[in-house]
Amino acid sequence: MTTDLIEGFLAAIPLPAVMVDQTERFIAINSGAEALLGQGIQGRHFATILRQPSVATAIEACLHDKQSRTARHLSNDGAQDTTYTVTLRYVPGVGAVGGGAVLACFDDITEREQASQMRRDFVGNVSHELRTPLTALIGFIETLRGPARDDAAARDRFLTIMEGEASRMNRLVGDLLSLNRVESEERVRPKEKVDLTGLLSSTLKTLAPVAEARSSAMTLEAPEDTVSVTGDPDQLRQVFLNLVENAVKYGGDQVRVVLTHTDRDPSVRAPAARIQVIDNGPGIAPIHLPRLTERFYRADSHRSREMGGTGLGLAIVKHIINRHRGRLRVESDLGEGSVFTVILPD
């Protein structure tokens, strides 16, 4: 097999691919492999480029016994760590004096690895969130059957706690179903026209009892003219209920909702409505800000659980805003409150 034929064969392979002959040097490399491993490596010893022991050992063994093998190659594309499965196959009759060579193809499995890790993390988080209330329920049931069987006061107290734990599990299941529904619709753009002014006013009225119980004042600042966007009214209501309720529960005693409209917002490069939920609470430490929309992430785990939070609210908010091709921004300084900004294109 001529050099031109080998190079043409490798160029036709849709994966990064190299060929190493019995001299242990690269005799052919395609453009994908050049992008992965670097330019000008043809003719060099493979161990000077592929320095990871698992890959080097697999190539040496394949050259020796001509058996197929696989290995893992770890790299970095400049933005994140990447993982490749390297498939090795022996090709007879090519290379130096026709002694045969190893064809190595690199299959990028980074997304599969990340998806697998996300599934494991998700199952672990859900299990953890459910285990706590379930353990409490089991403990109280055992107590009510035993020592507190005839203690009416203890029974009432335990039943109240059990009701709270059961409600928490119910909220968690509800949020999981809501998150699944939102994710399944994320690529489908909504088509209805939504009156944001009316929607925000209705949201504040719905949350008035919550604000009153916490002695928190809520105000809406909006233009005289109605501001409308294309959206899903139920999902947008869910966004604003979540953001305003969070501000009431975890913010200070004043929550301002500010609605404005601009003919061109640079973040979405189109006319857009901007909704800001501003509180005067204790603020959020900078270390937490990039992770607030992760599933089950809480800046203050203990306080969030006490308030009945599931850790999924902002993840749902993020996916809804993504569906609307909008943006979510969070600004906060410790001791100076927080500002959650939602930008929705018309």
Side-chain angles (χ1 to χ4, degrees):
M1 186 181 291
T2 66
T3 300
D4 288 345
L5 189 57
I6 293 173
E7 290 178 350
F9 172 70
L10 258 65
I13 297 176
L15 302 174
V18 299
M19 191 170 279
V20 179
D21 71 358
Q22 293 291 347
T23 66
E24 298 188 345
R25 296 181 181 277
F26 294 110
I27 62 170
I29 177 170
N30 67 9
S31 58
E34 284 184 337
L36 174 63
L37 303 175
Q39 302 284 334
I41 67 173
Q42 188 157 332
R44 294 181 61 178
H45 195 285
F46 78 86
T48 64
I49 304 299
L50 299 171
R51 299 180 181 178
Q52 294 176 32
S54 62
V55 179
T57 301
I59 292 175
E60 290 173 349
C62 191
L63 283 170
H64 176 70
D65 63 16
K66 304 178 177 58
Q67 298 299 309
S68 300
R69 283 177 170 78
T70 59
R72 284 167 65 88
H73 175 76
L74 306 178
S75 184
N76 188 290
D77 63 5
Q80 63 176 350
D81 292 333
T82 54
T83 304
Y84 291 83
T85 294
V86 187
T87 303
L88 306 173
R89 296 290 184 269
Y90 187 79
V91 182
V94 298
V97 297
V102 170
L103 173 65
C105 296
F106 295 74
D107 183 14
D108 188 349
I109 61 169
T110 305
E111 289 188 3
R112 276 176 274 169
E113 292 275 298
Q114 291 175 341
S116 179
Q117 185 61 48
M118 286 177 63
R119 283 195 298 271
R120 289 194 295 270
D121 291 344
F122 184 72
V123 170
N125 283 324
V126 171
S127 300
H128 174 74
E129 293 292 331
L130 288 173
R131 185 182 294 117
T132 302
L134 281 172
T135 300
L137 287 172
I138 292 169
F140 286 130
I141 290 170
E142 290 175 351
T143 304
L144 288 171
R145 282 178 170 173
R149 182 191 300 272
D150 300 317
D151 188 337
R155 183 172 64 246
D156 289 343
R157 186 171 70 254
F158 290 162
L159 287 172
T160 299
I161 298 173
M162 290 168 69
E163 181 183 20
E165 295 293 346
S167 296
R168 179 180 159 196
M169 284 193 294
N170 190 48
R171 285 193 300 273
L172 176 60
V173 171
D175 279 354
L176 286 170
L177 291 172
S178 180
L179 181 60
N180 181 66
R181 185 167 55 252
V182 169
E183 285 183 325
S184 68
E185 297 174 345
E186 193 166 350
R187 296 185 183 277
V188 181
R189 296 198 68 172
K191 298 179 180 179
E192 291 185 55
K193 269 295 180 183
V194 180
D195 173 7
L196 285 181
T197 310
L199 187 61
L200 289 170
S201 178
S202 173
T203 299
L204 296 193
K205 288 179 182 177
T206 300
L207 292 173
V210 179
E212 186 176 349
R214 299 190 60 81
S215 301
S216 180
M218 298 185 300
T219 57
L220 172 61
E221 302 171 22
E224 291 184 4
D225 295 333
T226 297
V227 177
S228 299
V229 296
T230 302
D232 182 316
D234 293 332
Q235 288 190 347
L236 290 179
R237 179 182 295 277
Q238 191 173 5
V239 167
F240 301 132
L241 280 171
N242 184 284
L243 295 180
V244 177
E245 186 175 16
N246 282 351
V248 170
K249 287 182 175 180
Y250 307 114
D253 57 2
Q254 294 181 15
V255 177
R256 294 169 52 220
V257 180
V258 181
L259 171 63
T260 56
H261 185 271
T262 179
D263 291 334
R264 179 175 173 78
D265 191 289
S267 61
V268 295
R269 300 179 182 179
R274 182 179 291 245
I275 305 93
Q276 293 178 294
V277 179
I278 307 167
D279 68 64
N280 64 341
I284 304 167
I287 191 174
H288 298 301
L289 295 180
R291 301 188 60 190
L292 284 180
T293 58
E294 291 181 14
R295 298 171 185 181
F296 299 107
Y297 187 83
R298 297 178 174 95
D300 186 340
S301 297
H302 179 69
R303 189 179 178 199
S304 175
R305 287 192 175 94
E306 281 188 341
M307 296 287 188
T310 63
L312 292 172
L314 288 178
I316 294 171
V317 164
K318 179 189 72 173
H319 284 289
I320 291 175
I321 293 173
N322 286 346
R323 184 193 175 200
H324 287 73
R325 308 300 189 266
R327 301 289 186 273
L328 173 66
R329 292 179 180 170
V330 185
E331 302 165 273
S332 186
D333 291 307
L334 287 175
E336 297 183 14
S338 305
V339 180
F340 285 76
T341 303
V342 177
I343 301 167
L344 298 171
D346 287 359

